[in-house]
Amino acid sequence: MTEVQKRILIVDDDDEIRELLEFDVRSSGYFVDTASNGIEGLNKALNNTYDLILLDVMMPKMNGFDVCKNIRQAKLSIPILMLTAKGTIDDKTTGFDCGADDYLVKPFDIQEVLLRIRVLLRRNSVHIEETPLSNEVLHSGDIEIFPESLEAVIVNKKVKLTPTEFEILYCLMQHFNNPVTLATLLDEVWGYDSNEDVRMLRVHVGGLRNKIEPNAKEPKYLHTVTNVGYKLTPFAQN
């Protein structure tokens, strides 16, 4: 059976960068569509089917953060890789809070972009293939997760997760009550290990805590294990 060509939307107002990305991504075997501003990008994302979006932050008409936020509010779980010159941890946190799955700072190496694309597409494909046709529900203690809809229910409170948040929670649920190392999380969620991505993992965990914890500053479920990683306790701990 011939593999279906993956569809990627590139949203960037810089003509040179957009054309460079379009050439290299298309040369790597993907179908490519483009948009030159945030409004156009959002309209295309909402009205077409894509497997991944490359999204710039600083754009006219609507910035990338707002585009990302609107895509998530529309309940689309498509992976989003943000490409931006804004590289501070606060900027990255803002991007992840809006629902981005990964983040690369300009100027970037095109091979690094292609690597991130492959990782996000592979992770999303595995998630789709492993999700049964019937709605699978994983339950432990106070926490239920629904792979098909990327949702979690914690003591009757339903929350929508980004694909990355879901993968982190899913991984931790496979090892509940046991510490999971940072290296294991990076390998299972991203498919590779990187010192830079340890910081991004912590940002995603912070976003996940904001959604599942009664008080993210005093976590009852998702605990930090010093010098190791994280542990999920499915019953609230005081």
Side-chain angles (χ1 to χ4, degrees), residues 12-68:
D12 198 311
D13 67 311
D14 187 311
D15 294 341
E16 184 176 348
I17 291 177
R18 190 178 64 255
E19 290 169 6
L20 171 67
L21 286 169
E22 181 180 6
F23 176 81
D24 285 304
V25 172
R26 181 173 283 120
S27 297
S28 296
Y30 303 107
F31 170 87
V32 177
D33 196 3
T34 64
S36 59
N37 62 69
I39 292 291
E40 182 186 8
L42 177 60
N43 286 336
K44 286 194 172 186
L46 296 180
N47 292 291
N48 298 280
T49 300
Y50 301 103
D51 296 287
L52 184 140
I53 298 175
L54 296 180
L55 181 61
D56 186 30
V57 170
M58 302 302 293
M59 292 185 294
K61 300 186 180 181
M62 179 180 286
N63 66 53
F65 294 143
D66 288 338
V67 173
C68 187

Side-chain angles (χ1 to χ4, degrees), residues 24-25 28 30 104 109-119:
D24 285 304
V25 172
S28 296
Y30 303 107
L104 276 178
D109 186 310
I110 190 62
Q111 293 305 315
E112 178 70 9
V113 176
L114 295 173
L115 170 63
R116 301 294 181 100
I117 288 173
R118 289 195 297 271
V119 168

Side-chain angles (χ1 to χ4, degrees), residues 189-232:
V189 175
W190 277 272
Y192 59 90
D193 193 351
S194 165
N195 291 332
E196 170 68 14
D197 287 327
V198 168
R199 298 178 65 197
M200 294 303 95
L201 171 60
R202 293 185 175 123
V203 173
H204 281 293
V205 167
L208 182 57
R209 278 182 172 143
N210 285 332
K211 294 182 178 181
I212 71 171
E213 297 285 359
N215 180 356
K217 294 182 179 180
E218 297 179 4
K220 296 179 179 294
Y221 299 107
L222 207 174
H223 306 277
T224 299
V225 181
T226 304
N227 297 324
V228 178
Y230 298 97
K231 178 177 73 172
L232 184 72

Side-chain angles (χ1 to χ4, degrees), residues 174-185:
Q174 305 308 302
H175 308 277
F176 71 86
N177 288 329
N178 293 301
V180 180
T181 66
L182 297 175
T184 296
L185 280 165

Side-chain angles (χ1 to χ4, degrees), residues 11-12 21 52-59 63-69 71-72 79-86 91-106 108 113 116 120:
V11 187
D12 198 311
L21 286 169
L52 184 140
I53 298 175
L54 296 180
L55 181 61
D56 186 30
V57 170
M58 302 302 293
M59 292 185 294
N63 66 53
F65 294 143
D66 288 338
V67 173
C68 187
K69 191 181 302 181
I71 290 172
R72 294 305 182 218
I80 297 174
L81 171 57
M82 301 199 93
L83 304 173
T84 179
K86 298 170 69 65
D91 293 322
K92 294 178 181 180
T93 300
T94 300
F96 291 133
D97 285 344
C98 291
D101 295 283
D102 208 348
Y103 206 113
L104 276 178
V105 178
K106 299 176 181 179
F108 47 75
V113 176
R116 301 294 181 100
L120 287 170

